[in-house]
Amino acid sequence: MWKRRTIKKKAILLMKQGYFRMLPVCFLIAMLTTAYSVSTTFFNLQMPSGSVSTDAAFTAGLPNSEAVLDTAARLLEGTPLAGISHGMIYNIAAMVIDLFSANISVFFSFLRTANYFLTENISIALIFPAAGILCAFLYQIFISNVLLIGEKRFFLENRNYPQTPVSKIFFLYKLRFLPHPAWVMFLRSLFQTLWNFTVIGGIIKHYEYILIPYILAENPKIGRKEAFLLSKRLMRRNKWKFFLLDLSFIGWHILSLFTLGLLDLLFVNPYVASCRAELYAVLRRNYVLSRSPGYEALNDSYLEHVPSSDELLISKALYDDSQGPYTKISYFAPGQYPVFLFSVQPPLKAVRSPIRADRRYDLLSFLFLFQIFSIFGWILEALIRLITSGTLGGGSVLFGPWLPIYGIYGTLILLLFRRLIRKPVLVFSFNFLLYTVLEYMTNFVIELITGRMLRDYSEFFLNINGRVYLGGAVTFALIGCAFLYHLAPRWNDRYMKLGHSKRVLICIVLYLLFIADIAASVLIS
């Protein structure tokens, strides 16, 4: 039997040892998935405070609550319940929906499109809303659910391996092993959604299915039936105690509401995640030791047993390279899980040498990366608008696929922060300050020249003279870290594999198109 107090004490010890690695993991999961919806309250407030006046719910910047409640009002039109769109009940319901939901969601994308269908004539305009639903659906299956498994893997390894990297949340992508675990997680979400209609059954099944991501994190090859059955067996006689464990955090969550979710981001989420990982380890250990049915599927003994240096050397000497490629280029990273002994091995072409983010870039590389950063920014914002609002346009003053602020920002990061590469917290802080100054000065200069700001943030929460706002600065700081630590080195590696003449030709073509686009935009405007 396990006790909440023991679980929590162990979680606190783990947080003391690895807090500055847990924090970015939970932050990324909160931003990229729907796992910690309350944590994003502060960032949801970065949306414009003014209401959107439109007859269609599928509109950029429209809150989830308006999509839900406006759709309900239209469906109930002409009935005694038609007055739900006004009054205190409406306001309370709107607050709860926005608080506990995320913008990137299949459900809300579908609901916005359904409401659009109810208010507009069927036409080609439905293409973008439909594409938004498809993108949200694929995002939920192949990104959100997969990252949730990666988060569980990080916290399971972190219990015994103090140097577990933050990048562990992407471990399924590195293994090139996505379809099966993504399918199992999709079925889990589907069954949970169907059970939620029974209310009580939904609560029971929530706790019955709650360990499936942990089981997949330990053994991604496990079958769908086995994963569901193992989770059910592990949670037998533990669902009520697990519920009480979750209930014991209610005070922290209430307190977090007064900080707009910031307390969740900074403390509660790592705390809860550590507790749950520790609880899974206890339940798993007891299940394996008792040789209960199906225990063989819980086959990652190195989550509990940390091999010594001699054991690793012997294992590596006896390791069959035909089972996986890690021994050919990998090394024993101190304090990290021995990846070459994991049950799933990636194909040889997927195994890469460690990224050298502190490298030097030559002039051609800077010119190329400026263009790639700019194009990446345009694609990123286009996808976000497609998922959240069903539109593609309106993101740039240029006609082509460029957002130069991404290019300028990314290039400055590579020039200024290369030597701080081993201090990620400091890098994030400087990225935040750099973007704040860059965005503010860009809007200020353009306003002096043209009389209007490039982007007006005056309706956003915590903005500075409408030229920059906090949510955007935090988001760009994260993107800047991705540029510095991963994207720029990888993109530059591919670019450098080309011959010198090809690299020069690519830059010439890109800049000719870019200059032509600027000229056309200036002439037409």
Side-chain angles (χ1 to χ4, degrees), residues 183-253:
W183 170 246
V184 176
M185 288 292 287
F186 167 71
L187 292 178
R188 172 183 179 258
S189 301
L190 177 63
F191 295 160
Q192 181 65 61
T193 300
L194 295 175
W195 276 106
N196 285 344
F197 288 109
T198 67
V199 184
I200 299 299
I203 297 173
I204 294 173
K205 290 298 178 179
H206 169 75
Y207 286 99
E208 188 173 295
Y209 299 158
I210 201 167
L211 297 183
I212 290 175
Y214 293 93
I215 295 170
L216 289 170
E218 178 173 357
N219 181 8
K221 289 183 177 180
I222 191 170
R224 192 272 300 173
K225 291 183 178 179
E226 291 85 351
F228 277 73
L229 188 58
L230 262 181
S231 181
K232 181 178 180 180
R233 287 172 175 170
L234 286 167
M235 290 301 294
R236 187 174 295 161
R237 301 188 184 91
N238 287 300
K239 288 189 282 291
W240 177 248
K241 293 185 69 177
F242 208 126
F243 171 75
L244 292 179
L245 175 65
D246 284 346
L247 197 62
S248 67
F249 298 113
I250 191 67
W252 286 109
H253 290 304

Side-chain angles (χ1 to χ4, degrees), residues 270-321:
Y271 185 29
V272 173
S274 297
C275 285
R276 290 187 171 186
E278 184 62 29
L279 177 54
Y280 171 77
V282 171
L283 296 177
R284 174 199 178 280
R285 185 186 309 121
N286 294 338
Y287 196 83
V288 171
L289 291 176
S290 64
R291 297 297 190 268
S292 299
Y295 81 92
E296 299 90 350
L298 302 176
N299 57 7
D300 195 349
S301 61
Y302 294 103
L303 289 176
E304 289 294 328
H305 168 65
V306 180
S308 64
S309 298
D310 291 341
E311 287 179 277
L312 286 174
L313 289 172
I314 293 172
S315 297
K316 189 167 184 179
L318 299 176
Y319 181 72
D320 182 3
D321 283 344

Side-chain angles (χ1 to χ4, degrees), residues 77-94:
E77 191 173 353
T79 70
L81 297 176
I84 66 167
S85 59
H86 305 285
M88 182 182 298
I89 295 178
Y90 177 91
N91 293 331
I92 293 175

